[in-house]
Amino acid sequence: MAEPSLRDVQRWMKTQIQPPAGGAVRAAQQWLNPQRDTPGFERLHVYAHGYLARMQESLAEVYEAVHHVVGEQAFAGLAGAYAARHPSHDYNLSFAGRSLPEFLAAWPRTAQWPFLPDLARLEWGVCQAFHAQLQPPVDAGQLASVAPSDWERMRFAFQPSVSCVASAWPILDIWEARQRPRQAIDIDVVGRPQQVLVFREGLTVRCELLDPAEQRVLRALLDGAMLGEACAEGSAEALSAWFNQWTRRGLITALHL
Amino acid sequence: MASHWPTIGCGVGLRTEHYETITRDWPSMDWFEAISENFMDSAGRPLHVLEQVRQRYPVALHGVSLSIGSTDPLNPSYLQRLKALADRIDPAIVSDHLCWTGVDGQNLHDLLPLPFTEEAVQHIAGRVEQVQAFLGRRILLENVSTYVTYRHSTMPEWEFLTAIAQRSGCGILLDLNNIYVNAYNHQFDPYDYLRHIPRELVGQFHLAGHTDCGGYLFDTHSAPVIEPVWAMYRWALQHWGPVTTLIEWDESIPPFARLVEEADKARAIYVEVCGTDQPVSPPLASPRR
Ligand SMILES: [Fe+2]
């Protein structure tokens, strides 16, 4: 039998670790020495199992509230299914869970907890905010110096820590309950939509409720809309109150005309 | 023979669980080892803590994602981020593992075993040279715990490790627990391994605990160092003189005070065997302020 190249070995090992791992490649099985009384390829389970365990642990760290809601057993199933569907392309394991919100939207058990995809979006936002590199914010004076005739076509850049999630469910309440015992949690989830702003203040990540109109304007601006497009609704007073709030918190980093 | 590598004493890993204790008490500790990936992609609290720690202690950066043994190209954005972190932190040591972590652009997030072949030695030595040129510094590569070995390996693990270090100019981070684990798993004498490592290549030791899984030992870093590994540590210091030492404890992480006890135990052996009460070499003896 010809010696396998390093690349052959690595490609084969990947098929034995990345779920759904396995598949009988009899020739390749001969590439490993027996370990004491055990055929070498059987020991590969240590790596296959390790991959799943690490993925699950990393997802549980980022998606603490999702984990808390679904419980240990369902979360293990979720992590396994996710790992099989989304091979990691990040060297940093902390970022391997970036697609969990979309994955949850199609996960059968989400029917039982329909708020899961939004909750996961909120948690991914929290994770991004935690790691973000904060930029120097613009000050209120800079904003005030823009000629009123230019306001309509102004665009804004926000801190990379800023995100907002609009949900038909009370996701902030659910997120805030993530460290309470499950039996002590009693949240009415029906008919209680919440819009949540995520940002970082110094080293602390904050999640706060937004007014629905403020959320729509902020969402549009975060997506790069001009102020004129974003503010089709909302009174001038409301708008100036929102901007005051955003600039006081240092959320806006640049104005573009 | 004197080591080319700084001796900064006996340290412990910098772990999230201990941030509060460390930044409140600034405990007496020779140095800290930080996992590079936990800081190179983050500009929040972790980096802030690391910078504060660095103002008071020597720090080593220990990576898990270099994937020096992969047949994929080296990841330039990873290297840039690592270099940026190293330039910012000014670590005493930069290290990673002699393993591969993924292939075809997919990451398996594990320290995977390599066949010990001339092909792998050449491939890896060339890549280490590239990494060292890019970072502008020598690195250490660590021997990893493994659970399988390849039939087509043509040399023992110690020869593979040594050949790569000698050809590339990198040093060795010798994990004594990993040697013990592999010696059990693959049935060789751990002292055979130690006897074949040239002293001048060794820049650091790792000491850790493992788990007996029945039939094989698993490198969990979840327990105290066991007596036979302390005995290997003693042997290595007797034969090689002072080498920077780290206690690794990454699972079931105990209170910081327990880690300090374990580092104190290492330091007591170090001081006794090396006949010095100064485990830290002079240039790094006083913490930077
Ligand atoms: Fe180690």
Side-chain angles (χ1 to χ4, degrees), chain B residues 56-85:
Chain B
R56 294 163 174 86
Y57 309 87
V59 163
L61 293 178
H62 184 51
V64 295
S65 310
L66 179 61
S67 201
I68 198 73
S70 174
T71 50
D72 277 2
L74 288 164
N75 180 339
S77 99
Y78 176 80
L79 289 175
Q80 270 155 16
R81 284 162 177 269
L82 179 60
K83 182 170 166 41
L85 182 67

Side-chain angles (χ1 to χ4, degrees), chain B residues 247-270:
Chain B
I247 301 291
E248 291 188 294
W249 205 320
D250 300 308
E251 293 284 327
S252 318
I253 296 181
F256 189 72
R258 177 70 191 86
L259 266 177
V260 171
E261 275 176 32
E262 204 75 349
D264 283 348
K265 186 169 174 184
R267 196 177 299 101
I269 297 173
Y270 187 113

Side-chain angles (χ1 to χ4, degrees), chain A residues 1 3-15 17-19 29-51 54-55 57 87-96 129-134 200 202-203, chain B residues 37-38 40-48 64-65 69-72 75 77-78 81 88 100 102-115 117 119-120 123-124 145-154 183-187 214-216 218 251:
Chain A
M1 187 173 64
E3 307 280 277
S5 70
L6 185 54
R7 193 144 183 91
D8 292 339
V9 166
Q10 293 179 342
R11 287 185 157 162
W12 170 67
M13 289 275 277
K14 188 184 77 175
T15 66
I17 297 170
Q18 163 68 47
Q29 288 177 353
Q30 302 307 313
W31 294 349
L32 298 176
N33 287 312
Q35 299 293 316
R36 295 171 188 265
D37 301 329
T38 308
F41 66 88
E42 283 186 21
R43 275 286 148 74
L44 284 174
H45 83 83
V46 177
Y47 295 105
H49 177 264
Y51 182 75
R54 257 184 289 276
M55 191 61 84
E57 190 185 4
S88 171
H89 297 281
D90 285 284
Y91 62 78
N92 195 328
L93 182 57
S94 312
F95 303 135
F130 180 79
H131 293 298
Q133 170 81 59
L134 299 190
R200 201 173 85 216
L203 299 175
Chain B
E37 289 77 4
N38 292 350
M40 60 200 267
D41 296 317
S42 179
R45 180 159 177 255
L47 187 60
H48 177 74
V64 295
S65 310
S70 174
T71 50
D72 277 2
N75 180 339
S77 99
Y78 176 80
R81 284 162 177 269
R88 183 168 187 150
W100 61 287
V103 70
D104 287 332
Q106 277 182 39
N107 210 304
L108 299 168
H109 303 293
D110 205 343
L111 309 172
L112 299 166
L114 289 156
T117 60
E119 179 203 8
H123 174 69
I124 295 168
S145 284
T146 59
Y147 311 100
V148 297
T149 54
Y150 300 93
R151 259 187 231 267
H152 64 292
S153 286
T154 56
Y184 179 88
N185 288 350
H186 313 311
Q187 293 173 290
Y216 67 98
F218 189 51
E251 293 284 327

Side-chain angles (χ1 to χ4, degrees), chain A residues 55-118:
Chain A
M55 191 61 84
Q56 185 180 333
E57 190 185 4
S58 155
L59 291 174
E61 220 166 87
V62 175
Y63 298 103
E64 197 184 352
V66 170
H67 181 208
H68 195 49
V69 166
V70 307
E72 197 58 45
Q73 211 187 341
F75 195 82
L78 171 66
Y82 178 78
R85 179 74 188 74
H86 289 276
S88 171
H89 297 281
D90 285 284
Y91 62 78
N92 195 328
L93 182 57
S94 312
F95 303 135
R98 67 174 77 249
S99 304
L100 195 74
E102 300 92 87
F103 186 80
L104 277 167
W107 190 47
R109 298 199 61 181
T110 294
Q112 194 179 338
W113 304 287
F115 50 81
L116 284 182
D118 291 344

Side-chain angles (χ1 to χ4, degrees), chain B residues 192-209:
Chain B
D192 250 359
Y193 197 128
L194 292 178
R195 276 190 289 269
H196 282 92
I197 298 294
R199 189 274 170 265
E200 70 276 8
L201 296 179
V202 181
Q204 191 191 321
F205 291 141
H206 271 176
L207 297 170

